[in-house]
Amino acid sequence: MLNRVILIGRLTKDPELRYTPSGVAVTQFTLAVDRPFTGQGGEREADFIPVVTWRQLAETCANYLRKGRLTAVEGRIQVRNYENNEGKRVYVTEVIADNVRFLESNRESGGGGNREESSYSGGNNSSNNSGSRSNNNYSRNNNNQDPFSDEGKPIDISDDDLPF
């Protein structure tokens, strides 16, 4: 069996950090993921997908993710159900993330083309609290130069540099 999902989208609001009664951190946020086609009116449509992170990954997401930030999420789909106050069975489908990548820097940082990509993994979701950052896969561009800053001007590349 295989249950894996990879999503890239923007947060619809800031993540909500909570703690279980036993002290385990859990964060919930919604990712808006564009559909690959336009609707009848010509406008783009999106799916709004709920995402849940646990333990250290939850705290990291709560600290660094903000509304509108482009984010990649890798995890599994989970369907759970409960009975609401009116006695009706409610089904919830959500992505349980075990890896989150921040695909752009904070917008409050003033822009300037600084691109930052960080990856955080939550490890497994067992009770041994191995959800610490198991994948120290930070990759930060420290030279503060945007490689695409030519703003549409032709790039000078010789035929010898092309692999084909």
Side-chain angles (χ1 to χ4, degrees):
M1 313 302 158
L2 179 65
N3 180 357
R4 294 303 292 167
V5 61
I6 299 172
L7 303 169
I8 297 177
R10 294 193 181 275
L11 270 71
T12 61
K13 63 181 181 176
D14 290 353
E16 299 174 17
L17 175 64
R18 295 185 181 147
Y19 291 90
T20 66
S22 60
V24 177
V26 59
T27 298
Q28 296 178 315
F29 56 90
T30 301
L31 208 60
V33 179
D34 286 339
R35 292 183 177 170
F37 53 86
T38 58
Q40 291 179 348
E43 65 275 348
R44 299 226 19 123
E45 295 180 8
D47 292 302
F48 298 90
I49 301 170
V51 178
V52 177
T53 59
W54 290 90
R55 297 177 178 74
Q56 181 63 42
L57 180 60
E59 292 177 343
T60 302
C61 287
N63 288 334
Y64 295 106
L65 286 179
R66 294 291 173 256
K67 176 182 177 178
R69 189 152 179 204
L70 187 66
T71 305
V73 170
E74 181 181 3
R76 62 184 171 83
I77 293 177
Q78 175 177 287
V79 179
R80 60 183 173 88
N81 63 71
Y82 63 93
E83 199 169 296
N84 68 7
N85 296 338
E86 300 165 357
K88 291 186 178 181
R89 178 77 44 204
V90 178
Y91 290 88
V92 178
T93 302
E94 55 201 2
V95 172
I96 307 301
D98 51 35
N99 189 5
V100 176
R101 284 186 182 255
F102 308 153
L103 298 180
E104 63 186 5
S105 61
N106 288 331
R107 293 179 175 213
E108 298 84 28
S109 65
N114 295 342
R115 178 168 159 67
E116 175 182 315
E117 180 178 315
S118 300
S119 175
Y120 297 94
S121 294
N124 62 24
N125 285 334
S126 67
S127 61
N128 64 2
N129 203 12
S130 64
S132 63
R133 195 176 321 149
S134 64
N135 180 357
N136 292 332
N137 185 7
Y138 294 108
S139 60
R140 290 197 174 137
N141 187 356
N142 291 329
N143 62 4
N144 292 337
Q145 291 182 348
D146 185 359
F148 304 105
S149 63
D150 292 334
E151 299 175 1
K153 297 176 188 169
I155 300 173
D156 184 27
I157 298 177
S158 71
D159 289 340
D160 295 335
D161 292 334
L162 297 176
F164 47 88

mmCIF file of all heavy atoms in Angstrom, residues 62-84:
data_model
loop_
_atom_site.group_PDB
_atom_site.id
_atom_site.type_symbol
_atom_site.label_atom_id
_atom_site.label_comp_id
_atom_site.label_asym_id
_atom_site.label_seq_id
_atom_site.Cartn_x
_atom_site.Cartn_y
_atom_site.Cartn_z
ATOM 1 N N ALA A 62 4.762 26.746 13.170
ATOM 2 C CA ALA A 62 4.099 27.854 13.857
ATOM 3 C C ALA A 62 5.013 29.065 13.964
ATOM 4 O O ALA A 62 4.557 30.213 13.884
ATOM 5 C CB ALA A 62 3.635 27.411 15.241
ATOM 6 N N ASN A 63 6.308 28.833 14.120
ATOM 7 C CA ASN A 63 7.259 29.941 14.268
ATOM 8 C C ASN A 63 7.589 30.627 12.953
ATOM 9 O O ASN A 63 7.854 31.829 12.935
ATOM 10 C CB ASN A 63 8.550 29.448 14.916
ATOM 11 C CG ASN A 63 8.376 29.137 16.382
ATOM 12 O OD1 ASN A 63 7.508 29.684 17.049
ATOM 13 N ND2 ASN A 63 9.188 28.217 16.884
ATOM 14 N N TYR A 64 7.615 29.893 11.837
ATOM 15 C CA TYR A 64 8.147 30.454 10.602
ATOM 16 C C TYR A 64 7.145 30.621 9.468
ATOM 17 O O TYR A 64 7.383 31.412 8.561
ATOM 18 C CB TYR A 64 9.324 29.602 10.110
ATOM 19 C CG TYR A 64 10.488 29.638 11.057
ATOM 20 C CD1 TYR A 64 10.781 28.553 11.871
ATOM 21 C CD2 TYR A 64 11.285 30.775 11.168
ATOM 22 C CE1 TYR A 64 11.837 28.589 12.760
ATOM 23 C CE2 TYR A 64 12.345 30.818 12.054
ATOM 24 C CZ TYR A 64 12.616 29.718 12.844
ATOM 25 O OH TYR A 64 13.667 29.771 13.721
ATOM 26 N N LEU A 65 6.054 29.891 9.479
ATOM 27 C CA LEU A 65 5.089 30.030 8.388
ATOM 28 C C LEU A 65 4.113 31.152 8.685
ATOM 29 O O LEU A 65 3.715 31.358 9.825
ATOM 30 C CB LEU A 65 4.317 28.720 8.191
ATOM 31 C CG LEU A 65 5.078 27.586 7.542
ATOM 32 C CD1 LEU A 65 4.188 26.352 7.428
ATOM 33 C CD2 LEU A 65 5.600 27.976 6.175
ATOM 34 N N ARG A 66 3.734 31.864 7.640
ATOM 35 C CA ARG A 66 2.763 32.950 7.761
ATOM 36 C C ARG A 66 1.807 32.899 6.577
ATOM 37 O O ARG A 66 2.099 32.303 5.544
ATOM 38 C CB ARG A 66 3.462 34.326 7.790
ATOM 39 C CG ARG A 66 4.324 34.550 9.006
ATOM 40 C CD ARG A 66 3.471 34.672 10.272
ATOM 41 N NE ARG A 66 4.288 34.722 11.471
ATOM 42 C CZ ARG A 66 4.451 33.714 12.313
ATOM 43 N NH1 ARG A 66 3.897 32.557 12.085
ATOM 44 N NH2 ARG A 66 5.172 33.843 13.403
ATOM 45 N N LYS A 67 0.699 33.561 6.726
ATOM 46 C CA LYS A 67 -0.312 33.636 5.674
ATOM 47 C C LYS A 67 0.318 34.098 4.360
ATOM 48 O O LYS A 67 1.107 35.039 4.331
ATOM 49 C CB LYS A 67 -1.417 34.609 6.086
ATOM 50 C CG LYS A 67 -2.460 34.815 5.021
ATOM 51 C CD LYS A 67 -3.502 35.819 5.458
ATOM 52 C CE LYS A 67 -4.486 36.055 4.334
ATOM 53 N NZ LYS A 67 -5.536 36.999 4.744
ATOM 54 N N GLY A 68 -0.011 33.408 3.266
ATOM 55 C CA GLY A 68 0.456 33.783 1.941
ATOM 56 C C GLY A 68 1.794 33.199 1.539
ATOM 57 O O GLY A 68 2.197 33.308 0.388
ATOM 58 N N ARG A 69 2.486 32.571 2.448
ATOM 59 C CA ARG A 69 3.820 32.055 2.155
ATOM 60 C C ARG A 69 3.757 30.771 1.330
ATOM 61 O O ARG A 69 3.007 29.849 1.643
ATOM 62 C CB ARG A 69 4.569 31.797 3.454
ATOM 63 C CG ARG A 69 6.024 31.461 3.222
ATOM 64 C CD ARG A 69 6.868 31.847 4.379
ATOM 65 N NE ARG A 69 8.242 31.461 4.088
ATOM 66 C CZ ARG A 69 9.145 31.232 5.004
ATOM 67 N NH1 ARG A 69 8.851 31.353 6.257
ATOM 68 N NH2 ARG A 69 10.355 30.888 4.660
ATOM 69 N N LEU A 70 4.565 30.707 0.273
ATOM 70 C CA LEU A 70 4.635 29.538 -0.596
ATOM 71 C C LEU A 70 5.341 28.407 0.141
ATOM 72 O O LEU A 70 6.454 28.584 0.642
ATOM 73 C CB LEU A 70 5.369 29.875 -1.887
ATOM 74 C CG LEU A 70 5.374 28.803 -2.971
ATOM 75 C CD1 LEU A 70 3.956 28.578 -3.487
ATOM 76 C CD2 LEU A 70 6.281 29.218 -4.110
ATOM 77 N N THR A 71 4.682 27.250 0.196
ATOM 78 C CA THR A 71 5.156 26.153 1.017
ATOM 79 C C THR A 71 4.917 24.820 0.312
ATOM 80 O O THR A 71 3.896 24.638 -0.340
ATOM 81 C CB THR A 71 4.404 26.145 2.373
ATOM 82 O OG1 THR A 71 4.564 27.418 2.981
ATOM 83 C CG2 THR A 71 4.925 25.077 3.303
ATOM 84 N N ALA A 72 5.862 23.901 0.455
ATOM 85 C CA ALA A 72 5.682 22.534 -0.031
ATOM 86 C C ALA A 72 5.479 21.625 1.182
ATOM 87 O O ALA A 72 6.148 21.772 2.203
ATOM 88 C CB ALA A 72 6.898 22.073 -0.821
ATOM 89 N N VAL A 73 4.544 20.701 1.046
ATOM 90 C CA VAL A 73 4.211 19.785 2.123
ATOM 91 C C VAL A 73 4.270 18.369 1.578
ATOM 92 O O VAL A 73 3.762 18.093 0.489
ATOM 93 C CB VAL A 73 2.796 20.081 2.679
ATOM 94 C CG1 VAL A 73 2.341 18.984 3.624
ATOM 95 C CG2 VAL A 73 2.754 21.430 3.356
ATOM 96 N N GLU A 74 4.904 17.481 2.326
ATOM 97 C CA GLU A 74 4.926 16.065 1.976
ATOM 98 C C GLU A 74 4.393 15.290 3.164
ATOM 99 O O GLU A 74 4.748 15.560 4.309
ATOM 100 C CB GLU A 74 6.353 15.624 1.666
ATOM 101 C CG GLU A 74 6.465 14.183 1.268
ATOM 102 C CD GLU A 74 7.893 13.772 0.979
ATOM 103 O OE1 GLU A 74 8.819 14.596 1.135
ATOM 104 O OE2 GLU A 74 8.081 12.604 0.610
ATOM 105 N N GLY A 75 3.511 14.343 2.887
ATOM 106 C CA GLY A 75 2.936 13.582 3.983
ATOM 107 C C GLY A 75 1.989 12.516 3.482
ATOM 108 O O GLY A 75 2.148 11.991 2.381
ATOM 109 N N ARG A 76 0.976 12.229 4.302
ATOM 110 C CA ARG A 76 -0.006 11.205 3.963
ATOM 111 C C ARG A 76 -1.404 11.745 4.203
ATOM 112 O O ARG A 76 -1.612 12.644 5.030
ATOM 113 C CB ARG A 76 0.221 9.947 4.795
ATOM 114 C CG ARG A 76 0.070 10.170 6.283
ATOM 115 C CD ARG A 76 0.389 8.918 7.092
ATOM 116 N NE ARG A 76 0.446 9.224 8.508
ATOM 117 C CZ ARG A 76 -0.609 9.289 9.308
ATOM 118 N NH1 ARG A 76 -1.812 9.086 8.828
ATOM 119 N NH2 ARG A 76 -0.456 9.566 10.583
ATOM 120 N N ILE A 77 -2.369 11.203 3.479
ATOM 121 C CA ILE A 77 -3.763 11.594 3.654
ATOM 122 C C ILE A 77 -4.360 10.735 4.749
ATOM 123 O O ILE A 77 -4.137 9.522 4.805
ATOM 124 C CB ILE A 77 -4.543 11.424 2.342
ATOM 125 C CG1 ILE A 77 -4.030 12.424 1.306
ATOM 126 C CG2 ILE A 77 -6.038 11.619 2.584
ATOM 127 C CD1 ILE A 77 -4.677 12.283 -0.045
ATOM 128 N N GLN A 78 -5.112 11.391 5.628
ATOM 129 C CA GLN A 78 -5.784 10.675 6.704
ATOM 130 C C GLN A 78 -7.238 11.112 6.748
ATOM 131 O O GLN A 78 -7.533 12.294 6.628
ATOM 132 C CB GLN A 78 -5.107 10.996 8.035
ATOM 133 C CG GLN A 78 -5.796 10.398 9.247
ATOM 134 C CD GLN A 78 -5.038 10.685 10.512
ATOM 135 O OE1 GLN A 78 -3.991 10.119 10.753
ATOM 136 N NE2 GLN A 78 -5.557 11.595 11.320
ATOM 137 N N VAL A 79 -8.134 10.159 6.916
ATOM 138 C CA VAL A 79 -9.554 10.440 7.079
ATOM 139 C C VAL A 79 -9.940 10.019 8.485
ATOM 140 O O VAL A 79 -9.676 8.894 8.900
ATOM 141 C CB VAL A 79 -10.407 9.684 6.038
ATOM 142 C CG1 VAL A 79 -11.882 9.988 6.241
ATOM 143 C CG2 VAL A 79 -9.977 10.047 4.629
ATOM 144 N N ARG A 80 -10.520 10.939 9.222
ATOM 145 C CA ARG A 80 -10.993 10.621 10.565
ATOM 146 C C ARG A 80 -12.443 11.059 10.673
ATOM 147 O O ARG A 80 -12.930 11.826 9.832
ATOM 148 C CB ARG A 80 -10.130 11.298 11.637
ATOM 149 C CG ARG A 80 -10.093 12.806 11.552
ATOM 150 C CD ARG A 80 -9.151 13.400 12.604
ATOM 151 N NE ARG A 80 -8.985 14.829 12.414
ATOM 152 C CZ ARG A 80 -9.779 15.746 12.945
ATOM 153 N NH1 ARG A 80 -10.793 15.399 13.715
ATOM 154 N NH2 ARG A 80 -9.570 17.023 12.724
ATOM 155 N N ASN A 81 -13.130 10.569 11.673
ATOM 156 C CA ASN A 81 -14.524 10.978 11.861
ATOM 157 C C ASN A 81 -14.832 11.107 13.336
ATOM 158 O O ASN A 81 -14.125 10.553 14.186
ATOM 159 C CB ASN A 81 -15.473 9.990 11.171
ATOM 160 C CG ASN A 81 -15.401 8.613 11.752
ATOM 161 O OD1 ASN A 81 -15.854 8.385 12.871
ATOM 162 N ND2 ASN A 81 -14.832 7.667 11.009
ATOM 163 N N TYR A 82 -15.864 11.886 13.620
ATOM 164 C CA TYR A 82 -16.315 12.085 14.987
ATOM 165 C C TYR A 82 -17.797 12.440 14.941
ATOM 166 O O TYR A 82 -18.347 12.736 13.883
ATOM 167 C CB TYR A 82 -15.495 13.180 15.693
ATOM 168 C CG TYR A 82 -15.633 14.544 15.075
ATOM 169 C CD1 TYR A 82 -16.584 15.459 15.529
ATOM 170 C CD2 TYR A 82 -14.803 14.943 14.030
ATOM 171 C CE1 TYR A 82 -16.705 16.715 14.963
ATOM 172 C CE2 TYR A 82 -14.914 16.192 13.453
ATOM 173 C CZ TYR A 82 -15.866 17.077 13.923
ATOM 174 O OH TYR A 82 -15.991 18.312 13.354
ATOM 175 N N GLU A 83 -18.419 12.408 16.091
ATOM 176 C CA GLU A 83 -19.826 12.763 16.195
ATOM 177 C C GLU A 83 -19.914 14.175 16.759
ATOM 178 O O GLU A 83 -19.353 14.459 17.823
ATOM 179 C CB GLU A 83 -20.534 11.762 17.115
ATOM 180 C CG GLU A 83 -22.022 11.742 16.935
ATOM 181 C CD GLU A 83 -22.652 10.565 17.656
ATOM 182 O OE1 GLU A 83 -22.349 9.421 17.282
ATOM 183 O OE2 GLU A 83 -23.432 10.827 18.591
ATOM 184 N N ASN A 84 -20.590 15.067 16.036
ATOM 185 C CA ASN A 84 -20.670 16.462 16.486
ATOM 186 C C ASN A 84 -21.750 16.624 17.560
ATOM 187 O O ASN A 84 -22.385 15.650 17.982
ATOM 188 C CB ASN A 84 -20.882 17.402 15.295
ATOM 189 C CG ASN A 84 -22.244 17.248 14.641
ATOM 190 O OD1 ASN A 84 -23.115 16.539 15.128
ATOM 191 N ND2 ASN A 84 -22.421 17.925 13.520
#
